[in-house]
Amino acid sequence: MLRSAGLALTLALAAVATGAAATAAPAPEDHLTLTVADSGDPATDGTFELGCHPAGGSHRAPRAACDKLDELTGWGRDPFAPVAPDTPCTMQYGGPATARLTGTWAGRPVNAAFQRTDGCETARWSRFEPVLPHTVG
């Protein structure tokens, strides 16, 4: 009798634990697709996948890229925000490279474009290295 009561209790606890695990909300997945063109290096042009937490994917440096994104992410600010239109920028051309990041980061959708058309855009690109490849204008 005691043995069957213990077995019943064990089965009941296992059912509760399994049910709790099944109803827990999944953690948001940090996954980005990076498309780079005209970087000056054929090895860095193309489309690459980057997963973080844990780091992985076809990106050339997933751990360093995820660490950089973690560093750029802060409460109340969008790390992927474009340069504000009224920002004074130097007219220093940084080269023809372009990049686009799409996917999900910190539970939010990402669709960010990068270029090197002036000093502000080049500085923004540089802030995202090594997520974006290093280029020489």
Side-chain angles (χ1 to χ4, degrees), residues 30-34 48-51 69 80 101-105 110:
D30 294 322
H31 180 268
L32 297 171
T33 300
L34 168 64
F48 307 93
E49 300 298 320
L50 175 63
L69 289 169
F80 304 99
L101 279 170
T102 58
T104 303
W105 181 256
V110 173

Side-chain angles (χ1 to χ4, degrees), residues 18 56 59 69-70 78 80 88 130:
T18 303
H59 190 281
L69 289 169
D70 284 339
D78 178 4
F80 304 99

Side-chain angles (χ1 to χ4, degrees), residues 115-127:
Q115 55 192 356
R116 299 176 58 87
T117 54
D118 61 31
C120 292
E121 294 291 349
T122 299
R124 179 173 176 247
W125 182 295
S126 295
R127 268 193 314 279

Side-chain angles (χ1 to χ4, degrees), residues 29-131:
E29 185 177 336
D30 294 322
H31 180 268
L32 297 171
T33 300
L34 168 64
T35 303
V36 179
D38 301 320
S39 70
D41 180 356
T44 62
D45 285 350
T47 300
F48 307 93
E49 300 298 320
L50 175 63
C52 296
H53 312 114
S58 60
H59 190 281
R60 289 175 54 164
R63 168 81 54 217
C66 292
D67 288 348
K68 175 52 84 169
L69 289 169
D70 284 339
E71 175 188 314
L72 292 171
T73 302
W75 182 261
R77 72 174 185 221
D78 178 4
F80 304 99
V83 174
D86 59 346
T87 303
C89 302
T90 65
M91 296 308 295
Q92 183 175 1
Y93 181 67
T98 60
R100 179 164 297 277
L101 279 170
T102 58
T104 303
W105 181 256
R108 300 188 141 198
V110 173
N111 186 358
F114 296 83
Q115 55 192 356
R116 299 176 58 87
T117 54
D118 61 31
C120 292
E121 294 291 349
T122 299
R124 179 173 176 247
W125 182 295
S126 295
R127 268 193 314 279
F128 273 84
E129 291 177 9
V131 178

